[in-house]
Amino acid sequence: MEKILIKPSVLRSNAQTFRQKARTIQYSIEDVEKIINALSSQFTGFRANSVKTRYNKARSQLLEAASLVSHFASDLEVTANTFEKADNLVFVNNNSLFVKGENDDTTIHPSDIDQEGAADCYLLAPLANMAQQDPDLIRKIIRDNGDGTYTVTFYEKQSILGLIDVGYKPVEIIVSPSFPMSNGSPTFAGFGDTRNSGNEVWGMVIEKAYAEWKGGYPNIDWGSAERAIEELTGMNARSIDPDAISIKDFEKNFDGGHIVVASTLNDFQSQGLELYENDTLATRHAYSVSGVNVDEGTISLRNPWGWENPEITIPYSKFQESFSRVITNG
């Protein structure tokens, strides 16, 4: 019998693909749901009831399929982790928390963020924006315990009966500066800058602590940028329709030092739009807002996939057309 080589990186890549497919099914159901609801007031009678009955049956089956695909993706992740442990590929050390890069003006810089194996742009885009807007916020999140570990502080929203918000409770997660690796590279968030004493890992430390808080790396795939900003800062965040905010108000918010990220459209909504057709933007993705220029009428954004991806500068009208939400704590 032919021996099959099990590669954890391949398993994890397939898991990511399955998870994305499951989310696509769920988002498609949401889109069709809106259409069905809109038809309810205009389309009645026997034929309408037949359509609704078939839709409800298909919806139930598709949701079950999406759930099965998502669980299978998690199983692949577990399998990948098992083989990594068996091959002693799980952890490496020799790291530095903060490193000043050659072209950086501070040790904490947006270029330090590099999204890799996890679908957590909703977390890493806000972190990149925090590094630009207020690096001290990053320093407040991480505490060196002096014993080779770090304490990362998040904030959990508190409420009474789920109805009345009563502030945030600090949640401290202790982690070591060691990370899952595959073929010598980090499996999840990548290194920041490097120097002789090691690689910069503040972004990786925060991501690892967030994953431990949520129950493991597979559990941080896909999430809410609004919630992530609140959990990182202990401050309320809000989600705004781009059409509902002028570029002047946008600039005022950005120049005020607030965290500002933007979410792109889904696959269905993005069809036919230039910035998606030419691969300038990725669907269902969060970008860090890196600049607003009222005089030029433009907005600039950065992809958390890494600094090798160039800054994107587009007219504000294109931004409003191409993005679904602006998320900010301002």
Side-chain angles (χ1 to χ4, degrees):
M1 179 181 294
E2 180 184 1
K3 183 178 180 180
I4 298 175
L5 178 62
I6 303 297
K7 293 184 178 180
S9 60
V10 174
L11 290 174
R12 189 166 284 110
S13 175
N14 285 324
Q16 179 75 1
T17 299
F18 279 118
R19 195 169 286 113
Q20 289 173 343
K21 296 298 183 183
R23 295 292 291 182
T24 297
I25 293 173
Q26 293 170 337
Y27 289 134
S28 296
I29 291 173
E30 292 174 8
D31 291 335
V32 174
E33 185 93 35
K34 293 176 184 177
I35 295 173
I36 293 295
N37 290 337
L39 285 174
S40 297
S41 61
Q42 306 171 41
F43 185 38
T44 59
F46 172 77
R47 199 173 287 275
N49 291 334
S50 177
V51 170
K52 292 174 185 176
T53 298
R54 291 187 181 187
Y55 163 71
N56 287 330
K57 183 178 180 180
R59 180 181 183 276
S60 177
Q61 292 174 338
L62 286 171
L63 284 174
E64 182 179 0
S67 178
L68 288 172
V69 171
S70 182
H71 280 95
F72 180 61
S74 296
D75 290 340
L76 287 179
E77 287 279 4
V78 170
T79 304
N81 291 340
T82 299
F83 276 92
E84 281 189 339
K85 290 178 181 178
D87 291 337
N88 296 317
L89 295 175
V90 179
F91 298 115
V92 297
N93 278 294
N94 185 32
N95 304 309
S96 298
L97 191 58
F98 301 118
V99 173
K100 186 175 180 179
E102 183 179 352
N103 298 314
D104 296 349
D105 52 3
T106 177
T107 55
I108 300 175
H109 192 272
S111 64
D112 301 332
I113 293 298
D114 182 13
Q115 181 190 355
E116 293 290 345
D120 59 352
C121 58
Y122 67 92
L123 173 70
L124 297 186
L127 278 177
N129 199 259
M130 289 171 65
Q132 175 178 345
Q133 298 287 75
D134 190 353
D136 284 340
L137 282 177
I138 303 294
R139 296 187 186 281
K140 292 177 181 178
I141 290 175
I142 308 176
R143 183 175 73 246
D144 188 340
N145 296 321
D147 60 359
T149 66
Y150 297 97
T151 297
V152 181
T153 302
F154 300 109
Y155 298 89
E156 188 171 38
K157 202 167 191 176
Q158 303 293 294
S159 65
I160 299 176
L161 299 177
L163 300 173
I164 304 173
D165 292 339
V166 291
Y168 295 85
K169 178 183 72 174
V171 177
E172 295 188 340
I173 307 295
I174 298 175
V175 294
S176 63
S178 52
F179 310 95
M181 302 289 288
S182 179
N183 297 322
S185 298
T187 303
F188 300 105
F191 293 119
D193 297 310
T194 60
R195 65 182 180 197
N196 292 337
S197 58
N199 298 298
E200 184 175 34
V201 297
W202 67 264
M204 300 167 68
V205 167
I206 293 175
E207 183 194 56
K208 179 181 178 181
Y210 194 77
E212 291 200 11
W213 182 28
K214 300 300 181 179
Y217 282 103
N219 291 342
I220 65 172
D221 278 342
W222 309 103
S224 163
E226 184 176 350
R227 177 176 295 178
I229 290 173
E230 293 179 340
E231 291 175 335
L232 288 168
T233 66
M235 295 182 279
N236 288 338
R238 58 193 177 118
S239 179
I240 310 167
D241 187 328
D243 289 330
I245 181 172
S246 69
I247 190 171
K248 287 186 178 179
D249 288 338
F250 203 126
E251 182 186 52
K252 182 179 180 181
N253 185 280
F254 181 79
D255 288 348
H258 300 295
I259 298 170
V260 190
V261 300
S263 295
T264 55
L265 304 174
N266 63 31
D267 294 337
F268 176 76
Q269 296 167 324
S270 65
Q271 291 180 6
L273 294 180
E274 176 188 0
L275 296 178
Y276 295 93
E277 295 292 330
N278 63 18
D279 293 328
T280 298
L281 296 176
T283 58
R284 297 286 184 186
H285 194 48
Y287 287 78
S288 170
V289 175
S290 54
V292 183
N293 191 321
V294 171
D295 294 334
E296 296 291 335
T298 60
I299 185 167
S300 298
L301 307 109
R302 280 284 187 179
N303 192 329
W305 287 348
W307 213 245
E308 67 275 9
N309 292 273
E311 186 177 50
I312 302 167
T313 298
I314 55 177
Y316 194 65
S317 58
K318 283 282 188 182
F319 172 79
Q320 292 176 306
E321 172 188 79
S322 304
F323 284 80
S324 61
R325 309 300 295 174
V326 175
I327 304 96
T328 178
N329 65 341

